[in-house]
Amino acid sequence: MTAPTDLHTLTGAYTLDALEEDERVAFEQHLAKCEDCAQEVRELTATAGRLALAATMPPPPRLKDQVMEQIAGVRQERPHSAVTGLSRTARRGHAMRWALAACVAAAAALGGTTLWQHQQADNARQQAQTAQEQADQITAVLAAPDAKVTSTVVKGGARGSVVVSHDSDKAVFIASGMAKPPEGKVYQLWFVDGDQMRPAGLMNPSRTNQSVLMTGAVNKASGVGVTLEPDGGSKQPTNQPVALLMLPG
């Protein structure tokens, strides 16, 4: 168990769901009282959401070569002789810069595909624009000043988290390690309104890790559910939920 004085250092591990259960409980108790850590978790969650979205499109064959070419032209920072002496704010800045640099390098490499896939350029641009709009909407929720998160274990051992912003009336579901649904099935998200459930979007059946902007307004929903439904989704749940989460107030 991590000592209480070290709880400030667990923001990254908490964001990536890498804490043991007792550490997670202790950190969430600390998080409720520490605004610095709460802000850092929001920023890291937003970055993780962007990185997860990058996996939506399969990388082209030359992606690695293009990224390496981009790296070769980037000026490197001088090595720090006393990294351990950096403040927590400085460490967070370095982490965020590296994460954003990775996003920029990947985006630059993906952008280059239009040069050697001219016939599919228009379609690629439309897909990229749609993906960017989705990323922006998800990031806006994850980075909202009032954003709150709750997590649970999904049937099969996966992890599901919901980030909700009541000010923007939106929520994002983040899945980690989800088992792929059977052929002809898809995971469907629901808002729980009392004893009723209303559709809130479908998850990508080919991905085990993803961030999904839930469809519709949060309104007065008390929770979020995930069920296994036929392709295309259902108007009402046809199976028992594989996960249920209470929305944070």
Side-chain angles (χ1 to χ4, degrees):
M1 179 64 189
T2 304
T5 54
D6 295 329
L7 288 174
H8 294 289
T9 67
L10 298 183
T11 52
Y14 177 77
T15 301
L16 298 177
D17 193 29
L19 295 178
E20 297 294 336
E21 183 64 17
D22 56 347
E23 291 179 317
R24 183 186 63 79
V25 171
F27 182 77
E28 287 182 345
Q29 293 174 346
H30 165 76
L31 194 63
K33 299 178 291 185
C34 181
E35 180 54 34
D36 285 345
C37 285
Q39 178 64 25
E40 189 166 342
V41 166
R42 286 194 292 266
E43 293 172 355
L44 293 174
T45 301
T47 301
R50 281 187 174 275
L51 293 176
L53 286 169
T56 301
M57 298 176 59
R62 291 196 63 247
L63 176 59
K64 180 178 179 180
D65 292 340
Q66 290 174 321
V67 171
M68 296 306 294
E69 290 171 4
Q70 292 288 330
I71 292 176
V74 175
R75 181 179 179 180
Q76 303 297 309
E77 291 186 5
R78 294 183 179 181
H80 295 282
S81 58
V83 176
T84 55
L86 292 174
S87 68
R88 183 159 54 88
T89 301
R91 289 197 300 272
R92 180 176 66 185
H94 283 291
M96 295 298 292
R97 282 198 295 273
W98 275 108
L100 292 175
C103 290
V104 171
L110 286 171
T113 61
T114 58
L115 298 176
W116 53 274
Q117 288 185 324
H118 180 71
Q119 293 181 345
Q120 301 181 16
D122 290 340
N123 186 46
R125 279 194 293 270
Q126 185 175 359
Q127 290 181 343
Q129 182 177 355
T130 300
Q132 184 61 53
E133 290 173 354
Q134 292 176 344
D136 289 343
Q137 292 180 66
I138 289 175
T139 300
V141 176
L142 300 180
D146 71 320
K148 294 183 179 179
V149 61
T150 185
S151 302
T152 190
V153 175
V154 181
K155 185 177 180 181
R159 191 83 180 174
S161 301
V162 173
V163 181
V164 61
S165 168
H166 288 286
D167 285 350
S168 62
D169 209 17
K170 295 184 181 298
V172 170
F173 183 81
I174 303 173
S176 174
M178 291 284 287
K180 290 186 178 181
E183 188 71 22
K185 297 286 186 178
V186 65
Y187 290 113
Q188 184 166 358
L189 301 171
W190 306 86
F191 280 119
V192 180
D193 296 324
D195 59 353
Q196 301 292 322
M197 298 180 76
R198 55 185 163 96
L202 303 177
M203 298 176 64
N204 188 330
S206 65
R207 296 179 56 198
T208 58
N209 302 312
Q210 57 187 294
S211 301
V212 183
L213 180 69
M214 298 184 67
T215 304
V218 176
N219 289 331
K220 296 182 180 180
S222 60
V224 166
V226 183
T227 62
L228 195 59
E229 302 294 337
D231 272 344
S234 305
K235 293 183 178 179
Q236 294 293 329
T238 61
N239 291 286
Q240 290 296 315
V242 298
L244 277 174
L245 301 89
M246 296 296 294
L247 285 179

PDB file of all heavy atoms in Angstrom, residues 116-151:
ATOM      1  N   TRP A 116       0.006   9.591 -51.025  1.00  0.00           N
ATOM      2  CA  TRP A 116       0.173   8.320 -51.741  1.00  0.00           C
ATOM      3  C   TRP A 116      -1.120   7.523 -51.834  1.00  0.00           C
ATOM      4  O   TRP A 116      -1.131   6.398 -52.281  1.00  0.00           O
ATOM      5  CB  TRP A 116       1.285   7.496 -51.086  1.00  0.00           C
ATOM      6  CG  TRP A 116       1.133   7.277 -49.613  1.00  0.00           C
ATOM      7  CD1 TRP A 116       1.542   8.082 -48.605  1.00  0.00           C
ATOM      8  CD2 TRP A 116       0.528   6.148 -48.982  1.00  0.00           C
ATOM      9  NE1 TRP A 116       1.222   7.548 -47.392  1.00  0.00           N
ATOM     10  CE2 TRP A 116       0.606   6.354 -47.581  1.00  0.00           C
ATOM     11  CE3 TRP A 116      -0.068   4.970 -49.461  1.00  0.00           C
ATOM     12  CZ2 TRP A 116       0.101   5.440 -46.659  1.00  0.00           C
ATOM     13  CZ3 TRP A 116      -0.561   4.057 -48.537  1.00  0.00           C
ATOM     14  CH2 TRP A 116      -0.471   4.305 -47.157  1.00  0.00           C
ATOM     15  N   GLN A 117      -2.232   8.118 -51.406  1.00  0.00           N
ATOM     16  CA  GLN A 117      -3.551   7.508 -51.591  1.00  0.00           C
ATOM     17  C   GLN A 117      -4.488   8.571 -52.169  1.00  0.00           C
ATOM     18  O   GLN A 117      -5.545   8.872 -51.631  1.00  0.00           O
ATOM     19  CB  GLN A 117      -4.105   6.982 -50.270  1.00  0.00           C
ATOM     20  CG  GLN A 117      -3.394   5.739 -49.776  1.00  0.00           C
ATOM     21  CD  GLN A 117      -4.059   5.186 -48.526  1.00  0.00           C
ATOM     22  OE1 GLN A 117      -4.526   5.936 -47.686  1.00  0.00           O
ATOM     23  NE2 GLN A 117      -4.100   3.877 -48.412  1.00  0.00           N
ATOM     24  N   HIS A 118      -4.062   9.145 -53.307  1.00  0.00           N
ATOM     25  CA  HIS A 118      -4.784  10.278 -53.878  1.00  0.00           C
ATOM     26  C   HIS A 118      -6.237   9.944 -54.196  1.00  0.00           C
ATOM     27  O   HIS A 118      -7.125  10.772 -53.995  1.00  0.00           O
ATOM     28  CB  HIS A 118      -4.067  10.756 -55.135  1.00  0.00           C
ATOM     29  CG  HIS A 118      -4.734  11.925 -55.792  1.00  0.00           C
ATOM     30  ND1 HIS A 118      -4.712  13.192 -55.234  1.00  0.00           N
ATOM     31  CD2 HIS A 118      -5.457  12.019 -56.937  1.00  0.00           C
ATOM     32  CE1 HIS A 118      -5.379  14.014 -56.019  1.00  0.00           C
ATOM     33  NE2 HIS A 118      -5.847  13.330 -57.060  1.00  0.00           N
ATOM     34  N   GLN A 119      -6.499   8.738 -54.646  1.00  0.00           N
ATOM     35  CA  GLN A 119      -7.853   8.368 -55.043  1.00  0.00           C
ATOM     36  C   GLN A 119      -8.816   8.339 -53.863  1.00  0.00           C
ATOM     37  O   GLN A 119     -10.018   8.465 -54.029  1.00  0.00           O
ATOM     38  CB  GLN A 119      -7.843   6.994 -55.734  1.00  0.00           C
ATOM     39  CG  GLN A 119      -7.126   7.008 -57.074  1.00  0.00           C
ATOM     40  CD  GLN A 119      -7.148   5.638 -57.738  1.00  0.00           C
ATOM     41  OE1 GLN A 119      -7.448   4.632 -57.104  1.00  0.00           O
ATOM     42  NE2 GLN A 119      -6.842   5.605 -59.027  1.00  0.00           N
ATOM     43  N   GLN A 120      -8.268   8.165 -52.651  1.00  0.00           N
ATOM     44  CA  GLN A 120      -9.111   8.102 -51.465  1.00  0.00           C
ATOM     45  C   GLN A 120      -8.959   9.348 -50.599  1.00  0.00           C
ATOM     46  O   GLN A 120      -9.362   9.363 -49.441  1.00  0.00           O
ATOM     47  CB  GLN A 120      -8.766   6.860 -50.625  1.00  0.00           C
ATOM     48  CG  GLN A 120      -8.944   5.560 -51.387  1.00  0.00           C
ATOM     49  CD  GLN A 120      -8.626   4.350 -50.523  1.00  0.00           C
ATOM     50  OE1 GLN A 120      -8.563   4.442 -49.302  1.00  0.00           O
ATOM     51  NE2 GLN A 120      -8.422   3.213 -51.152  1.00  0.00           N
ATOM     52  N   ALA A 121      -8.401  10.408 -51.187  1.00  0.00           N
ATOM     53  CA  ALA A 121      -8.090  11.592 -50.395  1.00  0.00           C
ATOM     54  C   ALA A 121      -9.341  12.240 -49.807  1.00  0.00           C
ATOM     55  O   ALA A 121      -9.364  12.601 -48.627  1.00  0.00           O
ATOM     56  CB  ALA A 121      -7.329  12.610 -51.251  1.00  0.00           C
ATOM     57  N   ASP A 122     -10.372  12.409 -50.627  1.00  0.00           N
ATOM     58  CA  ASP A 122     -11.583  13.058 -50.138  1.00  0.00           C
ATOM     59  C   ASP A 122     -12.213  12.275 -48.996  1.00  0.00           C
ATOM     60  O   ASP A 122     -12.625  12.841 -47.980  1.00  0.00           O
ATOM     61  CB  ASP A 122     -12.595  13.219 -51.277  1.00  0.00           C
ATOM     62  CG  ASP A 122     -12.148  14.247 -52.300  1.00  0.00           C
ATOM     63  OD1 ASP A 122     -11.291  15.092 -51.949  1.00  0.00           O
ATOM     64  OD2 ASP A 122     -12.646  14.198 -53.435  1.00  0.00           O
ATOM     65  N   ASN A 123     -12.279  10.954 -49.161  1.00  0.00           N
ATOM     66  CA  ASN A 123     -12.857  10.113 -48.115  1.00  0.00           C
ATOM     67  C   ASN A 123     -12.015  10.170 -46.849  1.00  0.00           C
ATOM     68  O   ASN A 123     -12.545  10.230 -45.730  1.00  0.00           O
ATOM     69  CB  ASN A 123     -12.966   8.677 -48.609  1.00  0.00           C
ATOM     70  CG  ASN A 123     -13.685   7.784 -47.612  1.00  0.00           C
ATOM     71  OD1 ASN A 123     -14.728   8.151 -47.083  1.00  0.00           O
ATOM     72  ND2 ASN A 123     -13.137   6.615 -47.359  1.00  0.00           N
ATOM     73  N   ALA A 124     -10.695  10.168 -47.033  1.00  0.00           N
ATOM     74  CA  ALA A 124      -9.795  10.217 -45.882  1.00  0.00           C
ATOM     75  C   ALA A 124      -9.956  11.532 -45.123  1.00  0.00           C
ATOM     76  O   ALA A 124      -9.963  11.558 -43.898  1.00  0.00           O
ATOM     77  CB  ALA A 124      -8.345  10.038 -46.335  1.00  0.00           C
ATOM     78  N   ARG A 125     -10.086  12.649 -45.872  1.00  0.00           N
ATOM     79  CA  ARG A 125     -10.252  13.945 -45.217  1.00  0.00           C
ATOM     80  C   ARG A 125     -11.568  13.999 -44.440  1.00  0.00           C
ATOM     81  O   ARG A 125     -11.626  14.553 -43.340  1.00  0.00           O
ATOM     82  CB  ARG A 125     -10.192  15.072 -46.260  1.00  0.00           C
ATOM     83  CG  ARG A 125      -8.782  15.464 -46.673  1.00  0.00           C
ATOM     84  CD  ARG A 125      -8.786  16.779 -47.430  1.00  0.00           C
ATOM     85  NE  ARG A 125      -9.454  16.647 -48.714  1.00  0.00           N
ATOM     86  CZ  ARG A 125      -8.827  16.314 -49.845  1.00  0.00           C
ATOM     87  NH1 ARG A 125      -7.530  16.079 -49.828  1.00  0.00           N
ATOM     88  NH2 ARG A 125      -9.496  16.234 -50.982  1.00  0.00           N
ATOM     89  N   GLN A 126     -12.623  13.426 -45.035  1.00  0.00           N
ATOM     90  CA  GLN A 126     -13.914  13.422 -44.353  1.00  0.00           C
ATOM     91  C   GLN A 126     -13.847  12.598 -43.080  1.00  0.00           C
ATOM     92  O   GLN A 126     -14.374  12.996 -42.035  1.00  0.00           O
ATOM     93  CB  GLN A 126     -15.002  12.872 -45.287  1.00  0.00           C
ATOM     94  CG  GLN A 126     -16.404  12.954 -44.686  1.00  0.00           C
ATOM     95  CD  GLN A 126     -17.466  12.524 -45.670  1.00  0.00           C
ATOM     96  OE1 GLN A 126     -17.178  12.179 -46.810  1.00  0.00           O
ATOM     97  NE2 GLN A 126     -18.718  12.533 -45.233  1.00  0.00           N
ATOM     98  N   GLN A 127     -13.191  11.426 -43.165  1.00  0.00           N
ATOM     99  CA  GLN A 127     -13.032  10.586 -41.981  1.00  0.00           C
ATOM    100  C   GLN A 127     -12.204  11.303 -40.917  1.00  0.00           C
ATOM    101  O   GLN A 127     -12.528  11.248 -39.722  1.00  0.00           O
ATOM    102  CB  GLN A 127     -12.374   9.254 -42.362  1.00  0.00           C
ATOM    103  CG  GLN A 127     -13.268   8.331 -43.171  1.00  0.00           C
ATOM    104  CD  GLN A 127     -12.573   7.031 -43.503  1.00  0.00           C
ATOM    105  OE1 GLN A 127     -11.348   6.921 -43.408  1.00  0.00           O
ATOM    106  NE2 GLN A 127     -13.345   6.032 -43.899  1.00  0.00           N
ATOM    107  N   ALA A 128     -11.143  11.964 -41.364  1.00  0.00           N
ATOM    108  CA  ALA A 128     -10.283  12.675 -40.409  1.00  0.00           C
ATOM    109  C   ALA A 128     -11.049  13.812 -39.738  1.00  0.00           C
ATOM    110  O   ALA A 128     -10.903  14.048 -38.537  1.00  0.00           O
ATOM    111  CB  ALA A 128      -9.050  13.211 -41.129  1.00  0.00           C
ATOM    112  N   GLN A 129     -11.870  14.526 -40.517  1.00  0.00           N
ATOM    113  CA  GLN A 129     -12.649  15.631 -39.953  1.00  0.00           C
ATOM    114  C   GLN A 129     -13.654  15.115 -38.930  1.00  0.00           C
ATOM    115  O   GLN A 129     -13.816  15.694 -37.851  1.00  0.00           O
ATOM    116  CB  GLN A 129     -13.382  16.380 -41.060  1.00  0.00           C
ATOM    117  CG  GLN A 129     -14.188  17.579 -40.556  1.00  0.00           C
ATOM    118  CD  GLN A 129     -14.850  18.349 -41.680  1.00  0.00           C
ATOM    119  OE1 GLN A 129     -14.643  18.058 -42.855  1.00  0.00           O
ATOM    120  NE2 GLN A 129     -15.659  19.336 -41.318  1.00  0.00           N
ATOM    121  N   THR A 130     -14.325  14.006 -39.280  1.00  0.00           N
ATOM    122  CA  THR A 130     -15.289  13.415 -38.348  1.00  0.00           C
ATOM    123  C   THR A 130     -14.602  12.957 -37.065  1.00  0.00           C
ATOM    124  O   THR A 130     -15.100  13.192 -35.958  1.00  0.00           O
ATOM    125  CB  THR A 130     -16.003  12.222 -39.008  1.00  0.00           C
ATOM    126  OG1 THR A 130     -16.692  12.667 -40.173  1.00  0.00           O
ATOM    127  CG2 THR A 130     -16.999  11.588 -38.047  1.00  0.00           C
ATOM    128  N   ALA A 131     -13.447  12.287 -37.243  1.00  0.00           N
ATOM    129  CA  ALA A 131     -12.703  11.811 -36.076  1.00  0.00           C
ATOM    130  C   ALA A 131     -12.248  12.974 -35.205  1.00  0.00           C
ATOM    131  O   ALA A 131     -12.291  12.903 -33.974  1.00  0.00           O
ATOM    132  CB  ALA A 131     -11.501  10.974 -36.522  1.00  0.00           C
ATOM    133  N   GLN A 132     -11.816  14.075 -35.851  1.00  0.00           N
ATOM    134  CA  GLN A 132     -11.364  15.238 -35.093  1.00  0.00           C
ATOM    135  C   GLN A 132     -12.511  15.876 -34.324  1.00  0.00           C
ATOM    136  O   GLN A 132     -12.352  16.276 -33.168  1.00  0.00           O
ATOM    137  CB  GLN A 132     -10.740  16.268 -36.037  1.00  0.00           C
ATOM    138  CG  GLN A 132     -10.150  17.483 -35.326  1.00  0.00           C
ATOM    139  CD  GLN A 132      -9.033  17.105 -34.379  1.00  0.00           C
ATOM    140  OE1 GLN A 132      -8.088  16.432 -34.783  1.00  0.00           O
ATOM    141  NE2 GLN A 132      -9.141  17.507 -33.118  1.00  0.00           N
ATOM    142  N   GLU A 133     -13.689  15.950 -34.962  1.00  0.00           N
ATOM    143  CA  GLU A 133     -14.853  16.516 -34.278  1.00  0.00           C
ATOM    144  C   GLU A 133     -15.233  15.667 -33.070  1.00  0.00           C
ATOM    145  O   GLU A 133     -15.558  16.200 -31.995  1.00  0.00           O
ATOM    146  CB  GLU A 133     -16.025  16.606 -35.260  1.00  0.00           C
ATOM    147  CG  GLU A 133     -15.837  17.667 -36.339  1.00  0.00           C
ATOM    148  CD  GLU A 133     -16.932  17.635 -37.395  1.00  0.00           C
ATOM    149  OE1 GLU A 133     -17.773  16.697 -37.331  1.00  0.00           O
ATOM    150  OE2 GLU A 133     -16.956  18.522 -38.264  1.00  0.00           O
ATOM    151  N   GLN A 134     -15.194  14.345 -33.235  1.00  0.00           N
ATOM    152  CA  GLN A 134     -15.500  13.457 -32.118  1.00  0.00           C
ATOM    153  C   GLN A 134     -14.466  13.618 -31.014  1.00  0.00           C
ATOM    154  O   GLN A 134     -14.816  13.655 -29.823  1.00  0.00           O
ATOM    155  CB  GLN A 134     -15.551  12.011 -32.600  1.00  0.00           C
ATOM    156  CG  GLN A 134     -16.721  11.708 -33.518  1.00  0.00           C
ATOM    157  CD  GLN A 134     -16.687  10.291 -34.058  1.00  0.00           C
ATOM    158  OE1 GLN A 134     -15.659   9.608 -33.990  1.00  0.00           O
ATOM    159  NE2 GLN A 134     -17.798   9.840 -34.597  1.00  0.00           N
ATOM    160  N   ALA A 135     -13.201  13.711 -31.415  1.00  0.00           N
ATOM    161  CA  ALA A 135     -12.131  13.882 -30.423  1.00  0.00           C
ATOM    162  C   ALA A 135     -12.303  15.174 -29.649  1.00  0.00           C
ATOM    163  O   ALA A 135     -12.122  15.218 -28.430  1.00  0.00           O
ATOM    164  CB  ALA A 135     -10.767  13.849 -31.117  1.00  0.00           C
ATOM    165  N   ASP A 136     -12.668  16.240 -30.356  1.00  0.00           N
ATOM    166  CA  ASP A 136     -12.848  17.537 -29.698  1.00  0.00           C
ATOM    167  C   ASP A 136     -14.007  17.478 -28.698  1.00  0.00           C
ATOM    168  O   ASP A 136     -13.917  18.029 -27.590  1.00  0.00           O
ATOM    169  CB  ASP A 136     -13.113  18.628 -30.735  1.00  0.00           C
ATOM    170  CG  ASP A 136     -11.878  18.954 -31.562  1.00  0.00           C
ATOM    171  OD1 ASP A 136     -10.767  18.586 -31.129  1.00  0.00           O
ATOM    172  OD2 ASP A 136     -12.029  19.562 -32.636  1.00  0.00           O
ATOM    173  N   GLN A 137     -15.104  16.831 -29.085  1.00  0.00           N
ATOM    174  CA  GLN A 137     -16.256  16.735 -28.186  1.00  0.00           C
ATOM    175  C   GLN A 137     -15.916  15.897 -26.949  1.00  0.00           C
ATOM    176  O   GLN A 137     -16.298  16.249 -25.831  1.00  0.00           O
ATOM    177  CB  GLN A 137     -17.440  16.108 -28.932  1.00  0.00           C
ATOM    178  CG  GLN A 137     -18.005  16.982 -30.035  1.00  0.00           C
ATOM    179  CD  GLN A 137     -19.170  16.325 -30.748  1.00  0.00           C
ATOM    180  OE1 GLN A 137     -20.226  16.105 -30.164  1.00  0.00           O
ATOM    181  NE2 GLN A 137     -18.980  15.987 -32.005  1.00  0.00           N
ATOM    182  N   ILE A 138     -15.216  14.787 -27.167  1.00  0.00           N
ATOM    183  CA  ILE A 138     -14.828  13.936 -26.038  1.00  0.00           C
ATOM    184  C   ILE A 138     -13.873  14.681 -25.115  1.00  0.00           C
ATOM    185  O   ILE A 138     -14.020  14.671 -23.890  1.00  0.00           O
ATOM    186  CB  ILE A 138     -14.194  12.629 -26.542  1.00  0.00           C
ATOM    187  CG1 ILE A 138     -15.278  11.740 -27.173  1.00  0.00           C
ATOM    188  CG2 ILE A 138     -13.484  11.879 -25.417  1.00  0.00           C
ATOM    189  CD1 ILE A 138     -14.746  10.485 -27.816  1.00  0.00           C
ATOM    190  N   THR A 139     -12.891  15.350 -25.710  1.00  0.00           N
ATOM    191  CA  THR A 139     -11.920  16.091 -24.906  1.00  0.00           C
ATOM    192  C   THR A 139     -12.594  17.191 -24.103  1.00  0.00           C
ATOM    193  O   THR A 139     -12.230  17.448 -22.951  1.00  0.00           O
ATOM    194  CB  THR A 139     -10.832  16.694 -25.819  1.00  0.00           C
ATOM    195  OG1 THR A 139     -10.175  15.639 -26.520  1.00  0.00           O
ATOM    196  CG2 THR A 139      -9.804  17.466 -25.005  1.00  0.00           C
ATOM    197  N   ALA A 140     -13.594  17.849 -24.707  1.00  0.00           N
ATOM    198  CA  ALA A 140     -14.304  18.923 -23.998  1.00  0.00           C
ATOM    199  C   ALA A 140     -14.971  18.392 -22.738  1.00  0.00           C
ATOM    200  O   ALA A 140     -14.983  19.067 -21.697  1.00  0.00           O
ATOM    201  CB  ALA A 140     -15.344  19.557 -24.928  1.00  0.00           C
ATOM    202  N   VAL A 141     -15.522  17.179 -22.810  1.00  0.00           N
ATOM    203  CA  VAL A 141     -16.156  16.579 -21.629  1.00  0.00           C
ATOM    204  C   VAL A 141     -15.102  16.175 -20.610  1.00  0.00           C
ATOM    205  O   VAL A 141     -15.215  16.474 -19.414  1.00  0.00           O
ATOM    206  CB  VAL A 141     -17.014  15.364 -22.026  1.00  0.00           C
ATOM    207  CG1 VAL A 141     -17.587  14.684 -20.783  1.00  0.00           C
ATOM    208  CG2 VAL A 141     -18.145  15.779 -22.958  1.00  0.00           C
ATOM    209  N   LEU A 142     -14.047  15.490 -21.089  1.00  0.00           N
ATOM    210  CA  LEU A 142     -13.020  14.995 -20.173  1.00  0.00           C
ATOM    211  C   LEU A 142     -12.288  16.125 -19.454  1.00  0.00           C
ATOM    212  O   LEU A 142     -11.873  15.969 -18.307  1.00  0.00           O
ATOM    213  CB  LEU A 142     -12.008  14.135 -20.943  1.00  0.00           C
ATOM    214  CG  LEU A 142     -12.551  12.891 -21.658  1.00  0.00           C
ATOM    215  CD1 LEU A 142     -11.422  12.149 -22.362  1.00  0.00           C
ATOM    216  CD2 LEU A 142     -13.254  11.961 -20.679  1.00  0.00           C
ATOM    217  N   ALA A 143     -12.145  17.260 -20.137  1.00  0.00           N
ATOM    218  CA  ALA A 143     -11.394  18.375 -19.553  1.00  0.00           C
ATOM    219  C   ALA A 143     -12.287  19.436 -18.928  1.00  0.00           C
ATOM    220  O   ALA A 143     -11.794  20.470 -18.486  1.00  0.00           O
ATOM    221  CB  ALA A 143     -10.515  19.017 -20.627  1.00  0.00           C
ATOM    222  N   ALA A 144     -13.590  19.202 -18.885  1.00  0.00           N
ATOM    223  CA  ALA A 144     -14.506  20.187 -18.314  1.00  0.00           C
ATOM    224  C   ALA A 144     -14.175  20.434 -16.836  1.00  0.00           C
ATOM    225  O   ALA A 144     -13.843  19.499 -16.106  1.00  0.00           O
ATOM    226  CB  ALA A 144     -15.945  19.699 -18.446  1.00  0.00           C
ATOM    227  N   PRO A 145     -14.253  21.670 -16.383  1.00  0.00           N
ATOM    228  CA  PRO A 145     -13.938  21.978 -14.980  1.00  0.00           C
ATOM    229  C   PRO A 145     -14.784  21.196 -13.980  1.00  0.00           C
ATOM    230  O   PRO A 145     -14.328  20.894 -12.880  1.00  0.00           O
ATOM    231  CB  PRO A 145     -14.215  23.484 -14.881  1.00  0.00           C
ATOM    232  CG  PRO A 145     -14.071  23.985 -16.280  1.00  0.00           C
ATOM    233  CD  PRO A 145     -14.573  22.883 -17.158  1.00  0.00           C
ATOM    234  N   ASP A 146     -16.026  20.856 -14.362  1.00  0.00           N
ATOM    235  CA  ASP A 146     -16.898  20.129 -13.437  1.00  0.00           C
ATOM    236  C   ASP A 146     -16.907  18.625 -13.694  1.00  0.00           C
ATOM    237  O   ASP A 146     -17.733  17.910 -13.127  1.00  0.00           O
ATOM    238  CB  ASP A 146     -18.336  20.666 -13.533  1.00  0.00           C
ATOM    239  CG  ASP A 146     -19.000  20.279 -14.844  1.00  0.00           C
ATOM    240  OD1 ASP A 146     -18.314  20.320 -15.896  1.00  0.00           O
ATOM    241  OD2 ASP A 146     -20.195  19.921 -14.835  1.00  0.00           O
ATOM    242  N   ALA A 147     -15.994  18.128 -14.557  1.00  0.00           N
ATOM    243  CA  ALA A 147     -15.987  16.707 -14.908  1.00  0.00           C
ATOM    244  C   ALA A 147     -15.743  15.823 -13.681  1.00  0.00           C
ATOM    245  O   ALA A 147     -14.863  16.100 -12.863  1.00  0.00           O
ATOM    246  CB  ALA A 147     -14.918  16.432 -15.960  1.00  0.00           C
ATOM    247  N   LYS A 148     -16.552  14.773 -13.561  1.00  0.00           N
ATOM    248  CA  LYS A 148     -16.391  13.796 -12.485  1.00  0.00           C
ATOM    249  C   LYS A 148     -16.406  12.404 -13.096  1.00  0.00           C
ATOM    250  O   LYS A 148     -17.055  12.166 -14.119  1.00  0.00           O
ATOM    251  CB  LYS A 148     -17.510  13.931 -11.456  1.00  0.00           C
ATOM    252  CG  LYS A 148     -17.480  15.248 -10.694  1.00  0.00           C
ATOM    253  CD  LYS A 148     -18.563  15.298  -9.638  1.00  0.00           C
ATOM    254  CE  LYS A 148     -18.520  16.604  -8.859  1.00  0.00           C
ATOM    255  NZ  LYS A 148     -19.585  16.674  -7.834  1.00  0.00           N
ATOM    256  N   VAL A 149     -15.682  11.483 -12.471  1.00  0.00           N
ATOM    257  CA  VAL A 149     -15.540  10.146 -13.039  1.00  0.00           C
ATOM    258  C   VAL A 149     -15.929   9.079 -12.020  1.00  0.00           C
ATOM    259  O   VAL A 149     -15.729   9.247 -10.813  1.00  0.00           O
ATOM    260  CB  VAL A 149     -14.085   9.912 -13.518  1.00  0.00           C
ATOM    261  CG1 VAL A 149     -13.098  10.021 -12.365  1.00  0.00           C
ATOM    262  CG2 VAL A 149     -13.946   8.553 -14.198  1.00  0.00           C
ATOM    263  N   THR A 150     -16.507   8.016 -12.529  1.00  0.00           N
ATOM    264  CA  THR A 150     -16.782   6.844 -11.706  1.00  0.00           C
ATOM    265  C   THR A 150     -16.429   5.611 -12.512  1.00  0.00           C
ATOM    266  O   THR A 150     -16.526   5.624 -13.754  1.00  0.00           O
ATOM    267  CB  THR A 150     -18.263   6.805 -11.267  1.00  0.00           C
ATOM    268  OG1 THR A 150     -18.464   5.711 -10.367  1.00  0.00           O
ATOM    269  CG2 THR A 150     -19.187   6.634 -12.467  1.00  0.00           C
ATOM    270  N   SER A 151     -15.999   4.540 -11.847  1.00  0.00           N
ATOM    271  CA  SER A 151     -15.530   3.345 -12.544  1.00  0.00           C
ATOM    272  C   SER A 151     -16.135   2.092 -11.941  1.00  0.00           C
ATOM    273  O   SER A 151     -16.595   2.088 -10.793  1.00  0.00           O
ATOM    274  CB  SER A 151     -13.994   3.250 -12.481  1.00  0.00           C
ATOM    275  OG  SER A 151     -13.381   4.389 -13.044  1.00  0.00           O
TER     276      SER A 151
END
